[in-house]
Amino acid sequence: LLFHGKKDNLVPFGRAAHHYCKKKEIGHLILEGSRTIARKLRKQGATATLVKAPKGSHDWASIPYSKTDIISDFLYRTIIKKETYPKRITLKNPL
């Protein structure tokens, strides 16, 4: 279960350079964000749900603390009941 704001300017939503640095800049490092991680997990047969906020920034990283209903439902349905869970959940107004 991954949570990510699509407007995060520090950690890419997909795959991109750290802080979106150019290749020759000091600190250039490719990071894989939640979308990329979720896709890789699914390819390996794991259950992976990406909860995203189209307008969410890096500050959105604390949102999971207020979304315990989604976390509890995910854990109950995937671990206890062995059910499938949606691949994506979009929160339009996360706060």
Side-chain angles (χ1 to χ4, degrees):
L1 184 59
L2 301 111
F3 288 80
H4 207 121
K6 290 183 77 175
K7 301 282 185 186
D8 191 327
N9 63 348
L10 296 177
V11 179
F13 182 69
R15 185 174 197 273
H18 177 255
H19 293 282
Y20 304 95
C21 295
K22 300 201 183 329
K23 280 188 176 184
K24 297 193 181 208
E25 287 182 29
I26 293 174
H28 182 266
L29 173 69
I30 297 295
L31 297 176
E32 295 188 344
S34 297
R35 180 181 60 195
T36 305
I37 294 168
R39 286 178 177 168
K40 287 184 177 193
L41 286 168
R42 286 188 212 110
K43 273 188 174 180
Q44 295 177 4
T47 297
T49 297
L50 175 58
V51 181
K52 63 183 179 179
K55 296 180 182 178
S57 66
H58 189 70
D59 293 338
W60 202 74
S62 64
I63 289 296
Y65 297 110
S66 68
K67 300 298 177 189
T68 55
D69 55 331
I70 294 173
I71 296 168
S72 298
D73 189 49
F74 174 83
L75 293 172
Y76 176 73
R77 288 175 52 192
T78 61
I79 295 172
I80 296 171
K81 296 197 83 180
K82 308 286 188 216
E83 294 177 354
T84 57
Y85 204 75
K87 289 183 179 180
R88 287 175 268 313
I89 298 172
T90 300
L91 298 177
K92 294 182 180 167
N93 298 310
L95 296 176

